[in-house]
Amino acid sequence: MSEFLLGHEPLIRLVISAAVFTLLASAEALFPRRPQKIGRLVRWPSNLGIVALNTVLIRILLPTAAVGIATTAEARGWGLLNAVALPGRLALPLAVVALDLAIYLQHVVFHAVPALWRLHRMHHADLEFDVTTGLRFHPVEIALSMGIKFLVIAALGPSALAVLIFEVLLNATSMFNHGNVRLPAPMDRVLRWIVVTPDMHRVHHSIHPAETNSNFGFNLPWWDCLLGTYRAQPRDGHEGMTIGIEQFRTAHDLRLDRMLIQPLRGPASGYPINRESGR
Ligand SMILES: [Zn+2]
Ligand SMILES: [Zn+2]
């Protein structure tokens, strides 16, 4: 079974990703959480253009996917989990949870370090919040994230199957938690015990810096709660809140070419650790 999954990795990822995207895009049309002032026709070509660009770049630059690194690590005995003989049913969930913690910490660092914030702020500069926002990352951030993930996999030594499950989960939850979808409040409350919900992650896309610097989790909500970065709701309410950052607020800034040069434009601004006092 796991051989079949690993042998068809790119196809499995593509099929699940397309299915989750279609499901969420339909749910957004049927049960929107917020009315969108800027329509899909303005934002989606650029956001989906970035996805296409990132997919091609990653295939060219890093043809060995994360599961390939995990297979090499397993064969050579690299990493913590390859050094201790844990039963598979324990090692697999442990690896998925550990990889999720690594992604959480990476996200915090991308908010804290000015040069990294310049890359990551493109994700935050989207002026609406929907399923395509969850896929909108600067190509250099994507490449850096892949490099970091390779190092984490080499140090941790998860199985290739654990990495595949994690990657599929992360891709699906990233689209889910950016969905402009109205979930019944009791459902949101229950889901928040096990997964980051759209209402939880939307707080992270608020224009208020204190809210932008909260709810860093993409997959599991536990890290924010445990490490003190959890914020339940936005202060202006989900429908009243302003999405985005103070910089880059024109329709012009939503164009693909402008998005690509955003890291080089203007000051690093409000969010990193060296921000000016009072901001
Ligand atoms: Zn962020
Ligand atoms: Zn986000």
Side-chain angles (χ1 to χ4, degrees):
M1 177 67 176
S2 82
E3 264 147 49
F4 172 82
L5 292 175
L6 295 170
H8 297 81
E9 186 228 342
L11 185 68
I12 290 168
R13 291 181 53 167
L14 182 71
V15 168
I16 296 179
S17 193
V20 173
F21 179 86
T22 309
L23 204 71
L24 279 163
S26 314
E28 285 182 347
L30 293 170
F31 319 104
R33 179 69 161 109
R34 291 160 47 91
Q36 292 193 329
K37 290 192 190 101
I38 306 167
R40 286 176 166 183
L41 275 177
V42 177
R43 294 173 43 254
W44 281 31
S46 305
N47 286 3
L48 296 176
I50 279 279
V51 178
L53 192 68
N54 286 342
T55 309
V56 173
L57 272 181
I58 287 299
R59 287 270 155 219
I60 295 169
L61 288 176
L62 302 161
T64 310
V67 290
I69 301 288
T71 310
T72 310
E74 211 167 353
R76 302 197 180 170
W78 292 346
L80 194 65
L81 292 171
N82 286 319
V84 289
L86 284 178
R89 59 179 186 280
L90 197 68
L92 195 140
L94 197 68
V96 171
V97 170
L99 285 168
D100 196 57
L101 173 61
I103 294 287
Y104 165 89
L105 292 172
Q106 182 195 317
H107 191 184
V108 173
V109 170
F110 269 73
H111 273 247
V113 178
L116 299 178
W117 168 249
R118 281 180 177 275
L119 296 170
H120 181 62
R121 71 185 178 183
M122 198 210 83
H123 175 65
H124 283 267
D126 200 350
L127 296 173
E128 296 284 1
F129 178 90
D130 67 19
V131 60
T132 64
T133 315
L135 301 167
R136 174 190 149 123
F137 292 93
H138 196 278
V140 180
E141 178 176 1
I142 291 282
L144 263 179
S145 303
M146 289 291 282
I148 294 167
K149 201 185 293 171
F150 287 3
L151 291 176
V152 170
I153 290 169
L156 182 67
S159 67
L161 184 64
V163 173
L164 174 63
I165 290 173
F166 178 73
E167 298 245 273
V168 168
L169 264 179
L170 188 69
N171 178 255
T173 53
S174 184
M175 284 190 272
F176 168 67
N177 63 39
H178 287 86
N180 182 31
V181 182
R182 182 178 294 275
L183 297 179
M187 191 199 266
D188 180 85
R189 259 198 309 279
V190 173
L191 279 177
R192 271 192 204 203
W193 285 98
I194 48 163
V195 70
V196 174
T197 65
D199 274 11
M200 180 175 162
H201 190 70
R202 194 177 296 103
V203 179
H204 184 71
H205 282 258
S206 159
I207 195 164
H208 302 305
E211 293 182 345
T212 314
N213 285 325
S214 66
N215 298 3
F216 292 97
F218 268 110
N219 211 338
L220 297 170
W222 311 331
W223 314 121
D224 284 298
C225 300
L226 281 172
L227 300 173
T229 51
Y230 178 66
R231 194 173 281 258
Q233 307 295 342
R235 71 181 193 219
D236 300 332
H238 287 284
E239 277 158 53
M241 69 186 286
T242 304
I243 300 288
I245 54 176
E246 288 156 22
Q247 287 165 294
F248 316 122
R249 296 209 63 83
T250 69
H252 209 57
D253 294 313
L254 295 170
R255 264 179 26 201
L256 184 59
D257 56 329
R258 307 292 287 184
M259 282 158 60
L260 289 173
I261 58 162
Q262 254 178 31
L264 303 171
R265 291 181 56 214
S269 176
Y271 305 99
I273 43 180
N274 67 349
R275 64 180 180 261
E276 289 167 35
S277 56
R279 297 197 66 175

